[in-house]
Structure formats: structure tokens, C-alpha cells
Amino acid sequence: MGSSSPLTRRNRAASSVFLIFLCFFICYSDSSNAQSSPVFACDVAGNPSLAAYGFCNTALKSEYRVADLVARLTLQEKIGFLVSKANGVSRLGIPTYEWWSEALHGVSYVGPGTHFSGQVPGATSFPQVILTAASFNVSLFQAIGKVVSTEARAMYNVGLAGLTYWSPNVNIFRDPRWGRGQETPGEDPLLSSKYASGYVKGLQETDTGDANRLKVAACCKHYTAYDVDNWKGVDRYSFNAVVNQQDMDDTYQPPFKSCVVDGNVASVMCSYNQVNGKPTCADPDLLSGVIRGEWKLNGYIVSDCDSVDVLYKNQHYTKTPAEAAAISINAGLDLNCGSFLGQHTQDAVTAGLVNEAAIDKAISNNFLTLMRLGFFDGDPKTQIYGGLGPKDVCTPANQELAADAARQGIVLLKNTGGCLPLSPTAIKTLAVIGPNANVTKTMIGNYEGTPCKYTTPLQGLAGTVSTTYLPGCSNVACAVADVAAATNLAAAADATVLVVGADQSIEAESRDRVDLNLPGKQQDLVTQVAKAAKGPVLLVIMSGGGFDITFAKNDEKIAGILWVGYPGEAGGIAIADVIFGRCNPSGRLPMTWYPQSYVEKVPMTNMNMRPDKSNGYPGRTYRFYTGETVYAFGDGLSYTKFSHSLVKAPRLVSLRLEENHVCRSSECQSLDAIGPHCENAVSGGSAFEVHIKVRNGGDREGIHTVFLFTTPPAVHGSPRKHLLGFEKIRLGKMEEAVVKFKVEICKDLSVVDEIGKRKIALGQHLLHVGDLKHSLSIRI
């Protein structure tokens, strides 16, 4: 191209700016107003002829309505309902429906079913799940779900969202390197199960109390034993998780079972990986056998996105695409995220690999879910949530709940000499340093939406005291640290807050970590700043997984350490409230923090939970791990002092056996956790209560999580200890109260044996709450 004069260049630049502005205006206007009404079927008001169809008759039972609809469809139309972008059938008044929306910790823009616009520019963004789980507050899990579903319905009513959400992620956080551990409720099966059912109930339950109606449809994922994304060349698309039956039933399956049995979840998503050589989405035992057979799923089973394609192309599990389609549908898969089944199911039918009845069964499960959502009941504005709209998104109450969830989750790990909370009157200048000190998007983690607004850590702290700020690194990778400027800042301030850690460039979907060290030069930055600081130094870790911060734990110059997860849109408010004592921290770690030496000797691909002395394998999670920790599951400090004393618990539980029971005549280590003896214990039936008096001996109000653990007898590779229950209690200074736990003998005191059967271990069980220990004997 030839040269041009400056004037011509300016004119061209002005024209370009105008065109860009015009395009933005048109696109923005279009996206803001493209659709102002929800997608729904059976618009009898607009098309009275639809009233003649049985599937549009709300007076009929859902099963009859679904059967009527399926009978009216051609095979090709049926196949169109096996995929996430379900084809509409205009002749029957059924529009195209997009199944894929996400709501992990707020309505998300991930997935094509949800959009933000001028009408609804953002939604409440709660803390990433791992931090919410750290609250150990089941009522909070449900409250967040309820707000998210309200905002989802509000967005649906203006054509910006769907009704089916592929959340929550309830996989066990088995390995600290897993990039998606941030999305989960942690490493403990009980906590994960209670989170799963609580969040699902919040999303799904309607204000009518009708269990067969859904506010929105939740989905528990990724079923099952899924927790390797991309580690040293091993990726989730080809990974075969080798899992023994004991670990499967004891660790990996409980959260999914709770989702279905306790939460009545509308959907389960099968994962990419294989389990013991079979792709989960093509395993009839896992799908039809367990989810639908044993657990009685009332809903649909969906594949992870393109996982049917993956089992054919990446895993080479079948020779042809038609075989992949058939094997998945026959195994019990109802819906394919992606288009694979839409492309290859006809060939599978033609080849005789799958029959039309199996397709009818699959789409019937999908239609039943949409029936429960009211999708076939006509205009949603005439239904229970029809009045919701943009005014119900990002309300002050919803945003306050996001801030409170972060406050409840933040974990205080170190507080030397009661340095915290800081006094806002004594601190005249606060140095705020670190690559995560003034971040926005980092705070909300992945599977995020556009938040209502952000309050960064720096903004939160600056709202209380005068601050000076330096990032110290250009990003969390921290290839170069500006140590000189950072130390000068800390040397001149009355106190210093360092905000470090990770973001999605370090840990994320398709990105596992290879070590547990703070990235790049962060450790050096922290150490040098602590050495130079004039006043107390507080270390704030923003991350999903844990780090080996032994150096900081042992550094006398670092007075306090806080883990704040990815704390959501209001993270900065919560961090400042904890640091300055407006909130007394009550969060507890939902996962073990291991030393770097752990990951140096343990491959991420070893799925075994239990230790193996023969090869030095140390086991995983607090339930089985035998090595040293940096911080332990359940760790967390308060600004006050709580103590426990035992009020009530049995010393002996005697199980009554039938006359002909084999254990009457021979020595038994354990009994099956089913049978008449489970209902007929001498102690008073199938359960007993443990009463714990909790006392706040400090000078301020606080919230305390009471954990009831048990250490069972050492049989069947039983856990070193495991969580039986947890309760939150709020106590004023010098106040006390009694917390009661109901312990079901055959459910709570049983362990899983080597072949996956639940057994009651006979002998001494040790119950413990904090430092309190109580021995309980189970005999026959």
C-alpha cells in the first residue's frame, strides 16, 4: 500500500471509530432487546388449536402428557430432542430449547442458554464453591441456591436464560493439584453430600412445596471419580480412573447419591473419563444400574459436553460413531451436550444397534423434566414465578448475602499473639501489596457470570483506613517481583496486608498444578516484605486449592494468615470486615493443605484413598492420609475462645442379633449395616444422641462450627477418622449452649468394606469434638 497524508489517516481513523461505535450500538441494542419474552411450549392463548393436544393439557398427569407428545413425533424429531440445542417442532407449537446453562455460584454466562444484556447487565456472583463450603453452613448453601434460582427465573422471564442448569459440581477434591477443586465443596464425603443436597434444594424447590414441580432444574456433575483434568500430559478425555469398589462407595459416590436421594436432583451429568476401563457415559451399571435403578433418579442423565464424541474419537471405545451413539443411549444416557447423537443416532437405528423404544425412554425423561418446570404449561407469566424480572436480580439483599457468604467462609489460619483484628483507629497507614490485592475477576473464579459490581480487597481495606498500594508483581505468575518498592512501602506503614495466591492461569478447568508452591517470586516477595515491615504483616491467600506456605506459618514476622478462596463479587468487603474485626471469622478448611513433598512422591493419577505401606503411598484426604500437613481439614481460628464439654453420650451400644445369626457362634469383627439388629439396639433403638456443651469463653460474640468425628476400630481399612456431623452455633461472650447430634448406628458408625458393603465395626469407637474424646463400645 502507498503512503497517505496525516489528514487522510485522521479521517480514516475518525471513520473507523464511527463505524466501531455504530456496530457496537447496533449489536448492543440488538442483544439488549432481541428477545424480551421467555421460550415456552403450548401457547394456547396465541394458538388455540394447541389445546387439542394432550401434552398441552395441564389437567392430565405428566406421564400421560409426555406419552402423548412422544407418540406424535417422527423418529427424526425424536432424535432432535437428544441433544442440548433441542430442535423445535413448529407444527406442535414446540420452540427450540437450549438445555445448557450454568449456575455454579450465580447465574453464569458459560453455556449458550444464558446471556446478559442491557435489561439484565449482571447477576449476583457468590463466592466460588470451595469458600462457601468452608462456612460448613447447610442453611447458607440452600439460601444461595434459592437466590440463584430466583435470579435465573427472573432472567428466563425476559428471554435471557433457560430453566436447566448444569450445576453443582460435587466431585471430591481428592488431590490438591486439581484445577477444578475450586468448584467443589472439598474433600469430605459428608460435607460434599450436605452441600450437594442443600444447594440443589435451593435451586429446585418451589414455594408451593410440590416436590414434582421445579423452580429450575439442577444437575450434579461429573459422575464419577472425575478429578484429573490435565496433569503432566494425562488429560481428562483419555484418563482411565482405576478405582476399587471400597473407594467408589466410600468416597466418590456419596455426594451423587445424596444429590439424587436427598436432594431429588433433576439431572446427573456423566463425566469424560473412564472408570475401570469403561467411559462413564457408556456404562449401564453406573447409569441405569445405580443412578436410575438404585437411587431412583427422577429426571434425566446428560453427558458432559461432547463426551460421547470423546469416547469414540479420543478413547476409541467404539469402531464407529453409530456404535458410540447406541452404546450411550442403551446405557441410560438421555441427553447429549453437543450434537453427536443428533448426527449419528439415525445410523444406529438403521443398523439395528438401538431401537426406537430406547430413544422414546430417553426423550421421555427429558420431557418430564421440562413438564416439571412448567415449560409445557403455556405463558410463564401466568405461572408461579411469572412476576419475576430484572428488578429481582442484583437486589441489595442478594448482594448482602454474597458478602455474608464470603465472611462466613474466610478461614483464619494464624493469629500470633492476637494481632488480629487490627484496630482501625490505631492504624494510620496500611500498606496493601500483592498481585491479588486489587483484582476483580479473579475473585469470582470460574463458571462465573457478570457480577452486579466488584469490591476488591484494596477497595474494602481503603474504605476503613488510609492505604498505600503496590501490586509487587505484574500478575500471579510473578516472574519478576518489585521487592525494593514493596519493602519501602511496608517499612513506612503501620501494618501491611499481602494479598497473593492464584487465579485461573494457575488452576482451572483443563489446567492442573504440578506443585504446591506460591507461583513465581511470590514467596520471595512475602518473605522480604515481612522482614522489612515496620508493623504487623498479614498474609491473605486467594486461591481454590491449598499451598505449601510452611515458610509463612513459621515466619515470626508474619502475624496473621487468612485463606479467602475466590470470595465472589463482595470479597473485598468480607476481607476488610474480618481483618478489622467487624466480623469474627468462623470458616474452617474443607480440604487438607499438604507440603510440597507430598506431590513430589504421589502421582495425581493414583485414585486410591487408603495408604499402602508396601510402596510408601501415604493415602489421601484427612480420612486416610498418614503424613505431615501444613494445615489440616477443619482448621480455622476465631477471635474468641470456644471450649467443649460432654453432656450426654452412651458408653456402650449392644446390638441384638437374631437367634440364628452366624456371629452368635463365631468371632466377628463386623456386622452388615442392614438387618433387624440395626433397629434393635439395647441403647434405645437404631440411634442415640450426643450432647455437647459449647462455651464462648472470650470477650466477643462468635460463630463456631462444632465437628463430631469418629475413629472406628481398625477393620476393613477404616478411616483414621471421619466426620459424622457438624453444626453452626452463635454465642455471645461468656455464653454457652448445648449442641445435639443424632447418631444413627448403622448409617453413621458403619464403614465400607473391601467389596463396597457397609459394615458396623465391633469394638471401641472414639468420638471426638475438638480436644474432647469419648470412647464408645459396640458389642453384640
Side-chain angles (χ1 to χ4, degrees):
M1 296 291 289
S3 62
S4 58
S5 69
L7 183 61
T8 307
R9 286 200 297 270
R10 273 202 302 273
N11 289 343
R12 285 178 182 165
S15 299
S16 298
V17 169
F18 175 75
L19 287 171
I20 290 168
F21 174 78
L22 183 63
C23 177
F24 174 80
F25 178 78
I26 292 168
C27 295
Y28 183 79
S29 300
D30 183 58
S31 67
S32 299
N33 305 302
Q35 194 174 24
S36 58
S37 60
V39 173
F40 63 93
C42 297
D43 183 10
V44 175
N47 183 358
S49 67
L50 298 176
Y53 295 133
F55 68 86
C56 288
N57 185 349
T58 58
L60 295 177
K61 285 189 174 180
S62 295
E63 291 78 6
Y64 296 131
R65 298 174 69 190
V66 168
D68 177 80
L69 172 54
V70 172
R72 296 177 188 276
L73 299 172
T74 67
L75 175 60
Q76 202 53 50
E77 286 169 343
K78 291 174 182 178
I79 290 170
F81 288 107
L82 292 171
V83 294
S84 50
K85 189 175 181 62
N87 292 335
V89 181
S90 56
R91 66 183 180 84
L92 297 177
I94 302 171
T96 297
Y97 177 72
E98 176 56 66
W99 286 81
W100 182 6
S101 293
E102 304 275 357
L104 183 70
H105 52 107
V107 179
S108 170
Y109 48 56
V110 177
T114 306
H115 309 276
F116 292 100
S117 75
Q119 275 184 298
V120 182
T124 308
S125 190
F126 291 91
Q128 182 62 292
V129 176
I130 193 69
L131 188 73
T132 295
S135 72
F136 284 86
N137 184 348
V138 176
S139 63
L140 177 65
F141 307 157
Q142 195 159 345
I144 291 173
K146 190 170 183 178
V147 165
V148 173
S149 59
T150 295
E151 296 196 345
R153 271 282 178 176
M155 291 176 66
Y156 169 71
N157 286 344
V158 291
L160 293 171
L163 294 168
T164 46
Y165 290 83
W166 293 344
S167 306
N169 177 345
V170 299
N171 293 116
I172 294 293
F173 195 176
R174 173 188 62 97
D175 190 289
R177 292 162 286 192
W178 187 30
R180 302 190 74 175
Q182 59 180 291
E183 301 173 31
T184 76
E187 71 182 32
D188 179 66
L190 179 73
L191 172 60
S192 297
S193 295
K194 286 186 176 292
Y195 178 87
S197 59
Y199 189 64
V200 164
K201 286 176 181 177
L203 287 176
Q204 293 193 165
E205 289 181 352
T206 67
D207 297 325
T208 66
D210 181 353
N212 204 41
R213 298 293 288 187
L214 295 167
K215 191 176 177 188
V216 301
C219 172
C220 289
K221 62 186 187 185
H222 312 80
Y223 180 83
T224 184
Y226 168 76
D227 55 14
V228 174
D229 262 62
N230 191 348
W231 177 78
K232 295 189 175 181
V234 179
D235 71 41
R236 57 186 175 166
Y237 305 119
S238 56
F239 179 57
N240 176 29
V242 178
V243 187
N244 63 57
Q245 197 59 49
Q246 186 174 30
D247 286 339
M248 184 66 90
D249 291 329
D250 184 44
T251 297
Y252 296 110
Q253 293 289 68
F256 292 100
K257 182 177 182 180
S258 184
C259 268
V260 178
V261 176
D262 303 324
N264 192 25
V265 77
S267 178
V268 174
M269 177 184 283
C270 50
S271 55
Y272 289 117
N273 57 290
Q274 296 185 2
V275 174
N276 298 327
K278 290 184 182 177
T280 62
C281 293
D283 189 336
D285 294 330
L286 284 176
L287 305 189
S288 298
V290 176
I291 299 177
R292 204 168 289 286
E294 289 180 31
W295 299 343
K296 311 297 182 193
L297 174 71
N298 179 18
Y300 69 101
I301 298 173
V302 61
S303 74
D304 204 341
C305 294
D306 295 317
S307 63
V308 185
D309 187 48
V310 163
L311 72 88
Y312 165 64
K313 284 184 182 170
N314 296 63
Q315 299 174 6
H316 309 294
Y317 192 70
T318 63
K319 290 180 180 177
T320 67
E323 288 172 344
I327 199 171
S328 300
I329 294 168
N330 288 331
L333 187 71
D334 302 309
L335 189 74
N336 163 215
C337 175
S339 58
F340 191 90
L341 291 186
Q343 295 165 355
H344 302 293
T345 301
Q346 177 69 64
D347 290 344
V349 174
T350 303
L353 299 171
V354 65
N355 59 40
E356 195 166 345
I359 295 168
D360 290 351
K361 188 177 177 183
I363 62 172
S364 293
N365 291 325
N366 301 339
F367 289 144
L368 269 169
T369 303
L370 291 175
M371 291 278 177
R372 295 174 67 199
L373 287 160
F375 184 80
F376 288 96
D377 294 352
D379 190 350
K381 288 186 171 58
T382 66
Q383 298 177 41
I384 179 173
Y385 295 109
L388 295 174
K391 71 182 188 309
D392 300 295
V393 183
C394 286
T395 65
N398 294 357
Q399 293 189 66
E400 175 53 31
L401 183 64
D404 195 48
R407 292 184 198 105
Q408 290 192 44
I410 288 173
V411 182
L412 177 62
L413 293 169
K414 178 181 180 181
N415 190 15
T416 304
C419 165
L420 284 167
L422 296 183
S423 164
T425 52
I427 304 294
K428 303 303 180 189
T429 56
L430 181 71
V432 183
I433 299 168
N436 279 338
N438 198 32
V439 290
T440 53
K441 195 173 180 186
T442 297
M443 294 197 298
I444 58 178
N446 66 357
Y447 282 86
E448 75 284 9
T450 303
C452 310
K453 61 182 180 183
Y454 286 112
T455 304
T456 72
L458 176 63
Q459 288 170 335
L461 295 166
T464 301
V465 295
S466 176
T467 58
T468 53
Y469 164 63
L470 184 81
C473 311
S474 59
N475 53 39
V476 290
C478 198
V480 178
D482 190 356
V483 172
T487 53
N488 288 340
L489 209 66
D494 294 330
T496 300
V497 176
L498 283 150
V499 191
V500 300
D503 64 13
Q504 302 304 306
S505 71
I506 302 295
E507 51 179 3
E509 184 171 6
S510 298
R511 183 176 291 117
D512 298 325
R513 289 188 285 162
V514 292
D515 65 54
L516 301 182
N517 299 316
L518 284 175
K521 304 284 188 183
Q522 286 191 40
Q523 180 171 330
D524 185 48
L525 177 70
V526 171
T527 302
Q528 296 302 325
V529 165
K531 192 182 295 183
K534 179 176 74 172
V537 175
L538 310 178
L539 180 63
V540 175
I541 310 284
M542 191 180 292
S543 68
F547 286 101
D548 183 349
I549 51 167
T550 306
F551 77 95
K553 183 180 180 181
N554 296 335
D555 189 333
E556 293 179 2
K557 290 296 297 286
I558 297 174
I561 301 175
L562 295 163
W563 174 69
V564 300
Y566 294 121
E569 64 170 44
I573 297 170
I575 290 167
D577 285 348
V578 170
I579 286 176
F580 289 107
R582 294 184 290 268
C583 168
N584 190 348
S586 63
R588 302 290 197 96
L589 286 183
M591 73 297 201
T592 304
W593 284 34
Y594 300 89
Q596 169 61 16
S597 58
Y598 174 77
V599 300
E600 287 168 359
K601 61 188 175 191
V602 176
M604 212 180 152
T605 47
N606 188 329
M607 302 295 289
N608 293 333
M609 301 304 298
R610 288 158 171 80
D612 185 344
K613 288 182 181 176
S614 69
N615 60 15
Y617 182 68
R620 294 184 180 278
T621 77
Y622 81 95
R623 296 168 69 227
F624 302 105
Y625 175 58
T626 53
E628 294 295 314
T629 63
V630 180
Y631 288 106
F633 174 88
D635 275 0
L637 303 172
S638 170
Y639 293 153
T640 188
K641 181 69 176 173
F642 294 98
S643 58
H644 312 101
S645 56
L646 182 66
V647 176
K648 176 184 177 182
R651 287 272 179 199
L652 173 67
V653 172
S654 295
L655 301 176
R656 291 175 175 161
L657 299 187
E658 299 161 285
E659 291 296 327
N660 60 348
H661 198 286
V662 66
C663 292
R664 280 184 170 273
S665 56
S666 60
E667 194 82 10
C668 289
Q669 286 188 313
S670 63
L671 300 172
D672 288 342
I674 54 169
H677 53 271
C678 284
E679 285 76 49
N680 299 315
V682 175
S683 67
S686 61
F688 61 83
E689 288 195 343
V690 175
H691 296 183
I692 304 291
K693 183 184 287 183
V694 185
R695 185 170 188 271
N696 178 359
D699 60 358
R700 66 170 66 216
E701 180 185 79
I703 299 172
H704 181 56
T705 300
V706 185
F707 293 118
L708 177 62
F709 290 99
T710 179
T711 298
V715 297
H716 302 304
S718 58
R720 298 171 74 239
K721 70 174 184 175
H722 70 106
L723 190 59
L724 288 188
F726 55 89
E727 293 291 339
K728 299 282 283 192
I729 185 170
R730 181 189 294 270
L731 293 174
K733 58 182 180 180
M734 308 308 289
E735 188 180 356
E736 60 186 31
V738 173
V739 173
K740 299 177 181 180
F741 293 96
K742 182 181 179 182
V743 179
E744 295 183 42
I745 297 161
C746 289
K747 178 186 173 189
D748 298 322
L749 295 182
S750 59
V751 297
V752 175
D753 74 6
E754 294 78 0
I755 60 170
K757 299 290 184 186
R758 283 216 160 261
K759 299 279 190 177
I760 313 158
L762 299 174
Q764 293 298 118
H765 293 245
L766 190 66
L767 302 178
H768 31 120
V769 176
D771 296 329
L772 183 69
K773 290 181 169 57
H774 174 77
S775 187
L776 163 71
S777 180
I778 299 183
R779 298 179 190 167
I780 54 175

